[in-house]
Amino acid sequence: MRIWRRAAALLLALCMTVLLAACGEDPNDEKKLSVVMTGAVHTMDPAQVSTAAERTVVQHVFENLMRLNADGTVSHALARSYTQETALDGSVTYTFQLRTDAKWSDGTAVTARDFVYAWRRLVDPETASPNADALSMVAGYERAVLGDTEALQVTAPDDHRLQVVLSGSCPYFIGSVCTATVTMPVQEKAVTAHSNWSSSSLWFVGNGPYERTGDWGDAARLTLHTRAAYYDVKRLGPDRIDLLLKAREEADASAGKVDIVIGAGGEDAALGGDPTVGILLVNQMATSMGHPELRRALSLVIDRETAAQTVGQDCRAAEGLVPYGIRTGEGEEFRTANGALIDNDPASYNERCQGAQALLRQAGYTNSTTLSALDTVTLLYGKSMEQVARQLQESWASKLGVRVQLESVESYELTARLASGEFVLALMELTGHYNDASAYLDPWRSSDMRNYGMQYLNAYDILMRIAANSSSLDARDAYLKDAERLLVENSNIIPLYSRVQPYVIRDEVRGAVSDGMGAWYFGGVNRVS
């Protein structure tokens, strides 16, 4: 009898283990979440992250001043409170009062000086961060990115007060910049102790709700556990997050087998935002491209659907410069609210080509002799955009009789050539670093150092200036809408495609938060029956 009872008890325990595991619950009361993502994690340094997977991990092992919630609202994180004061010169000073109970993973206190160090390090040219322009609205930014980092007006009056002076009104600062992955605090002692600090279990120090455990040498699996010393640990959802990094085909096959799949999911996947758009850039200083009718003709005959497919399956034809996932000041999706600025309907493609031919004649290109003047025009591009470049070359030749030369260069040379203005036509990708339309529109102002197209459009500058100084979110959204339309119609900045992020989340899993630009946070996830 005792043997039978013991066997029955073991069988019951086994059944309970299987049942709890199926529900995402550990028999030891550990709540688990299984996540599959495409891409790779090479760093957990907020200043250097570039992939969606890297930004997602940073969202868990670090914590910013504010945090995004699943319902789209913003709540306090390391900042208990903040005040805002506008000066007579239009500058705006934010003073954040930080929590006194926040700790780094080495047990030391998180202070305002950690933010000062992190933000100045982010814009320091020696850091060579691809994300530096996330702080372009902070006063002193233009001097800081040239090497005078102390010019960036971020200061710590004491351990728990952080002051940030913005050069003007910035309605997205709290909701997008102060929640961003790249503006997380970092500890100076950890960063300066070892060059490999962000990818070593021995040297890494974070302040987030989760800590990385397990084998740090396993590039395909990251295990995140709640950090016992985190001040709000009891409110976290999963105790453990198993993040598996897989190739696209494997990730597609994981849909329905794990709780969440990001970057894949098959035909049933929903489409989320991604911060990257592809652009054809026309140098406004190039005399050969001086006719607006010529630029519009080049744009009209581009088959953007094919271009998007050429780049990859997670791309869609551009409908404007601002991609899906970016919010308006009123909280709507900018692209959905403002509609398409570019016609990508295959049924009207031939009609668009006829219109382009008419524009070309208006510009004075009426025969092979006049068109031959464009044969010396070169399209500059990075090696990863070879197929898109060849598609554009073929379209312009077959639909317009315009023949351009192709020049492929390494990425570092492309950046240098764009910065120096040594090009006529160029392909590039623009990545926004905060969730606001201005991340895609600001770079093309006459005074902006990122204005690679050397665009000087007075009406555009005025619209962007009025938008920046508008006290009404609704009015600001309207000015940004008009600015984008003017930019696209001028055809010096020609959008080609925007990247998207497919994802699949099980119905019973609630509370996953996306920043609209590819990064996710799972600390608030719970399960419903």
Side-chain angles (χ1 to χ4, degrees):
M1 180 63 73
R2 287 181 180 176
I3 294 175
W4 180 87
R5 286 178 179 173
R6 187 177 297 114
L10 289 171
L11 179 61
L12 178 60
L14 178 61
C15 290
M16 287 298 293
T17 300
V18 172
L19 179 61
L20 288 169
C23 296
E25 302 289 341
D26 187 90
N28 296 319
D29 293 330
E30 185 177 58
K31 293 177 289 184
K32 295 180 182 179
L33 185 74
S34 55
V35 180
V36 167
M37 289 192 77
T38 56
V41 174
H42 299 297
T43 181
M44 296 195 300
D45 181 349
Q48 301 296 352
V49 291
S50 59
T51 70
E54 287 173 344
R55 297 195 299 271
T56 295
V57 172
V58 167
Q59 288 280 5
H60 293 80
V61 297
F62 289 95
E63 184 173 72
N64 215 324
L65 296 165
M66 310 293 288
R67 76 162 60 90
L68 290 173
N69 301 317
D71 61 1
T73 60
V74 178
S75 59
H76 295 281
L78 282 182
R80 283 190 180 276
S81 63
Y82 67 87
T83 59
Q84 174 183 346
E85 184 177 354
T86 302
L88 293 177
D89 63 357
S91 63
V92 182
T93 298
Y94 283 88
T95 301
F96 296 91
Q97 189 68 41
L98 304 190
R99 306 184 65 94
T100 58
D101 54 353
K103 303 289 184 182
W104 290 104
S105 53
D106 66 359
T108 60
V110 179
T111 72
R113 292 177 182 84
D114 296 317
F115 278 96
V116 174
Y117 171 74
W119 287 21
R120 289 181 174 174
R121 174 177 178 264
L122 176 62
V123 301
D124 189 338
E126 291 191 5
T127 305
S129 170
N131 310 305
D133 64 0
L135 294 175
S136 59
M137 73 296 300
V138 178
Y141 168 80
E142 292 187 353
R143 288 172 56 194
V145 293
L146 295 176
D148 182 10
T149 57
E150 291 191 2
L152 193 74
Q153 294 194 34
V154 183
T155 56
D158 58 49
D159 280 353
H160 297 103
R161 271 193 304 155
L162 175 70
Q163 285 190 338
V164 183
V165 180
L166 308 186
S167 54
S169 174
C170 185
Y172 57 87
F173 177 67
I174 292 295
S176 293
V177 179
C178 294
T179 62
T181 302
V182 300
T183 58
M184 297 286 187
V186 293
Q187 188 192 73
E188 182 176 6
K189 179 183 175 182
V191 174
T192 57
H194 198 281
S195 59
N196 198 34
W197 72 277
S198 72
S199 52
S200 168
S201 59
L202 295 176
W203 299 100
F204 181 79
V205 177
N207 72 315
Y210 288 85
E211 59 186 348
R212 184 176 177 181
T213 59
D215 180 7
W216 284 50
D218 187 347
R221 179 187 296 270
L222 287 87
T223 303
L224 304 175
H225 272 99
T226 53
R227 190 164 64 91
Y230 178 64
Y231 64 87
D232 208 16
V233 66
K234 292 182 178 180
R235 292 181 182 272
L236 296 176
D239 298 310
R240 170 174 165 171
I241 301 170
D242 290 312
L243 178 63
L244 302 178
L245 302 173
K246 295 186 176 182
R248 179 58 186 265
E249 187 175 338
E250 291 180 295
D252 278 330
S254 297
K257 300 176 183 177
V258 297
D259 295 318
I260 298 174
V261 175
I262 306 293
E267 295 181 356
D268 295 330
L271 294 179
D274 183 282
T276 300
V277 294
I279 298 169
L280 171 66
L281 197 58
V282 182
N283 192 333
Q284 190 167 329
M285 296 295 101
T287 56
S288 56
M289 291 289 125
H291 293 285
E293 294 87 1
L294 169 60
R295 300 194 301 271
R296 286 199 288 271
L298 294 177
S299 178
L300 277 174
V301 300
I302 295 173
D303 182 352
R304 288 174 172 80
E305 292 288 354
T306 300
Q309 294 169 13
T310 298
V311 175
Q313 61 192 120
D314 295 336
C315 285
R316 64 194 301 171
E319 297 179 7
L321 182 58
V322 180
Y324 282 89
I326 300 302
R327 300 184 298 270
T328 66
E330 295 288 334
E332 299 177 86
E333 190 172 62
F334 185 94
R335 189 77 279 137
T336 301
N338 295 321
L341 297 179
I342 301 171
D343 181 8
N344 294 311
D345 186 354
S348 62
Y349 180 67
N350 289 334
E351 183 181 341
R352 296 198 299 275
C353 290
Q354 292 171 9
Q357 293 163 6
L359 285 170
L360 207 59
R361 291 191 292 271
Q362 290 179 35
Y365 298 97
T366 56
N367 53 51
S368 59
T369 301
T370 53
L371 283 171
S372 65
L374 298 175
D375 289 351
T376 57
V377 170
T378 298
L379 173 60
L380 184 71
Y381 61 93
K383 294 185 182 298
S384 64
M385 302 186 80
E386 177 88 30
Q387 288 182 288
V388 177
R390 294 197 177 279
Q391 182 207 337
L392 295 182
Q393 183 189 47
E394 193 280 328
S395 296
W396 292 334
S398 62
K399 303 300 181 183
L400 298 175
V402 174
R403 291 173 174 80
V404 301
Q405 300 177 22
L406 301 183
E407 183 180 1
S408 171
V409 296
E410 298 293 342
S411 58
Y412 69 88
E413 185 178 349
L414 176 64
T415 301
R417 293 273 295 274
L418 290 175
S420 64
E422 297 177 38
F423 69 96
V424 177
L425 301 174
L427 292 175
M428 64 170 288
E429 288 193 333
L430 172 65
T431 299
H433 296 120
Y434 49 86
N435 194 312
D436 188 79
S438 64
Y440 300 88
L441 301 177
D442 272 345
W444 314 114
R445 295 172 300 155
S446 299
S447 60
D448 199 289
M449 63 180 64
R450 299 164 293 177
N451 185 11
Y452 296 143
M454 297 185 182
Q455 174 184 266
Y456 302 105
L457 194 59
N458 191 47
Y460 182 78
D461 291 340
I462 292 172
L463 285 171
M464 292 301 294
R465 191 179 308 121
I466 296 173
N469 295 322
S470 178
S471 58
S472 164
L473 293 180
D474 187 54
R476 178 178 184 272
D477 289 339
Y479 286 120
L480 292 177
K481 174 184 177 181
D482 291 344
E484 184 195 33
R485 180 177 294 279
L486 181 61
L487 191 69
V488 172
E489 290 177 350
N490 190 56
S491 299
N492 277 101
I493 315 298
I494 301 175
L496 300 177
Y497 60 85
S498 60
R499 296 186 182 273
V500 294
Q501 185 188 62
Y503 66 92
V504 176
I505 302 177
R506 278 180 170 167
D507 291 340
E508 67 270 20
V509 175
R510 306 289 174 83
V513 180
S514 168
D515 67 353
M517 304 176 71
W520 290 76
Y521 177 67
F522 307 119
V525 164
N526 58 75
R527 297 176 188 274
V528 297
S529 58

